[in-house]
Amino acid sequence: MEQREAAEPALKRTRDREPAARDEEQLVERLKSGDHQALEAIFRLHSNKVFQLAYKLTRDRTESEEVVQDVFLTVYQKVRGFRGGSRFSTWLYRLTVNAALGRLRRKKRSKEVSYEDFLPQFQPDGHHLERPVVDWSNDVETRSSGRELQDLLTRALNQLRPQDKAVVVLSDLEGLRDQEIAKTLGLSVAAVKTRLHRARLFLRGQLAVHLGYSPT
Amino acid sequence: MAKATGSAKMRLLKSDTCKEATSLLLDYLAGTLPPKVKRAFERHLSICPDCVSFLKTYQKTIRLTQSFLSQNIAAAKLVHVERSLSRRLKKSKRSR
Ligand SMILES: [Zn+2]
């Protein structure tokens, strides 16, 4: 009955928390003057969300706990440089994504896989290379067990480049807009779109190959 | 007149091909294609079952990924993290 623990958390609801903004500003001011209790208060307010976001990106509890530590240590060390041009929670969000990304980069990705092998290919005249393209959208779940799909997606997501994985999580799970993702990751909007599209094509290709079709 | 409009539309997709259509999928689903390009894209779909299948499986991939990613998000147990953080804070210096 502890199911609710695993329910989808709330960092993406950042925009709904406007009333708390003032309190947050005060806490940040106190923190700037070196008040440890302010950090404790900020930790209690935000550590859960930081953990959940880190977990979405790393899918690893220990790594996510490390991210929580890194992030709050950075907050403490860098808060004086935080100008308040953006919301504190936005800053925290970016610190979290980047700390998690750093950990993903350090961790060896499971076997290097060529993206190209799973992207669609086309004939010289622009048609799909293998035709007909099979529509497996209605039967993929009956043709594979839930377990198989879980394993496949775990593997495929781990084969994405860390930044591409972050783009997928921020877009398709967190529901951020391309512009927000671009700012969070320090990319151009065009680069975000390209990465997201390629990542989706790669994941689609993995599913197609799993079902015995060409990625085309 | 109708003919001119038709060929103008045609040129909106650089080359009315599956390759071109596939490259527009993300913007099409995000609803960010300019209206004329969107119409040209949909016209391509109306004559190309391959691209319809591709679109459906692309969408299905997004849904499967979403539902996979939103499952089993671990609950945080951060008491020990808070403790170890305050130990580290005591040792750490602040940057200016
Ligand atoms: Zn086509």
Side-chain angles (χ1 to χ4, degrees):
Chain A
M1 295 299 107
E2 286 300 299
Q3 282 297 77
R4 204 163 296 147
E5 274 196 340
E8 211 185 317
L11 250 200
K12 69 173 151 192
R13 303 201 194 289
T14 306
R15 268 172 257 120
D16 300 336
R17 291 190 283 110
E18 295 300 341
R22 202 128 294 169
D23 296 348
E24 196 170 78
E25 269 170 38
Q26 284 174 355
L27 280 175
V28 170
E29 286 312 312
R30 282 172 53 199
L31 188 58
K32 282 184 179 177
S33 63
D35 182 344
H36 269 218
Q37 284 183 333
L39 188 71
E40 280 168 28
I42 288 175
F43 186 91
R44 282 189 208 115
L45 274 175
H46 294 288
S47 57
N48 221 6
K49 288 168 229 139
V50 168
F51 175 86
Q52 303 262 342
L53 177 59
Y55 191 84
K56 288 174 186 172
L57 288 156
T58 64
R59 310 297 295 189
D60 182 299
R61 172 182 287 282
T62 310
E63 295 270 11
S64 304
E65 290 175 352
E66 294 288 330
V67 168
V68 173
Q69 277 211 41
D70 293 350
V71 165
F72 284 94
L73 208 53
T74 308
V75 166
Y76 185 72
Q77 289 169 335
K78 302 267 172 79
V79 69
R80 286 182 192 171
F82 171 66
R83 297 270 173 251
S86 58
R87 287 280 308 276
F88 177 75
S89 50
T90 309
W91 184 51
L92 200 59
Y93 195 97
R94 288 181 193 167
L95 290 178
T96 307
V97 171
N98 287 296
L101 206 47
R103 296 209 164 252
L104 283 180
R105 287 192 176 117
R106 261 172 274 159
K107 210 163 128 183
K108 277 205 191 96
R109 264 185 288 152
S110 34
K111 270 184 283 160
E112 287 287 329
V113 169
S114 162
Y115 272 29
E116 302 304 325
D117 293 345
F118 295 93
L119 298 182
Q121 290 181 35
F122 300 93
Q123 296 171 9
D125 67 1
H127 279 109
H128 291 278
L129 185 63
E130 277 182 39
R131 298 159 75 194
V133 174
V134 177
D135 176 10
W136 41 261
S137 63
N138 287 321
D139 58 6
V140 56
E141 280 146 314
T142 49
R143 289 173 56 186
S144 330
S145 70
R147 188 60 207 237
E148 275 177 328
L149 283 179
Q150 296 260 353
D151 291 348
L152 179 109
L153 286 169
T154 304
R155 212 177 334 111
L157 282 158
N158 283 336
Q159 287 165 347
L160 290 176
R161 293 178 191 117
Q163 207 163 37
D164 296 356
K165 186 179 178 187
V167 170
V168 170
V169 170
L170 296 183
S171 167
D172 293 345
L173 183 59
E174 290 285 284
L176 297 195
R177 284 174 306 211
D178 296 340
Q179 288 86 338
E180 295 172 309
I181 300 172
K183 276 188 198 155
T184 303
L185 296 174
L187 294 169
S188 68
V189 171
V192 167
K193 286 184 173 187
T194 306
R195 283 171 184 274
L196 181 58
H197 185 53
R198 273 173 69 91
R200 286 172 172 176
L201 290 175
F202 173 78
L203 296 170
R204 180 197 166 279
Q206 290 266 1
L207 287 161
V209 168
H210 167 73
L211 294 171
Y213 304 119
S214 135
T216 291
Chain B
M1 206 46 198
K3 232 180 195 171
T5 316
S7 61
K9 263 195 218 159
M10 204 65 166
R11 269 181 269 116
L12 288 168
L13 292 183
K14 274 174 246 140
S15 53
D16 186 22
T17 62
C18 302
K19 187 175 182 181
E20 177 81 9
T22 303
S23 75
L24 299 175
L25 281 174
L26 181 136
D27 279 316
Y28 177 69
L29 293 175
T32 50
L33 282 182
K36 286 179 182 174
V37 180
K38 183 181 172 215
R39 281 197 293 277
F41 177 86
E42 286 173 343
R43 205 192 46 233
H44 180 88
L45 286 188
S46 73
I47 55 163
C48 182
D50 289 326
C51 280
V52 172
S53 296
F54 201 97
L55 169 66
K56 285 186 177 167
T57 50
Y58 184 92
Q59 281 178 299
K60 183 70 183 180
T61 301
I62 298 170
R63 284 196 296 271
L64 285 173
T65 309
Q66 274 170 336
S67 79
F68 170 77
L69 285 171
S70 55
Q71 275 168 23
N72 306 321
I73 294 174
K77 295 192 184 80
L78 296 170
V79 180
H80 64 286
V81 177
E82 191 175 358
R83 253 184 252 129
S84 126
L85 179 68
S86 37
R87 276 198 302 275
R88 281 172 75 182
L89 279 179
K90 278 171 196 153
K91 288 186 219 154
S92 94
K93 279 188 209 144
R94 275 179 118 156
S95 65
R96 300 256 146 204

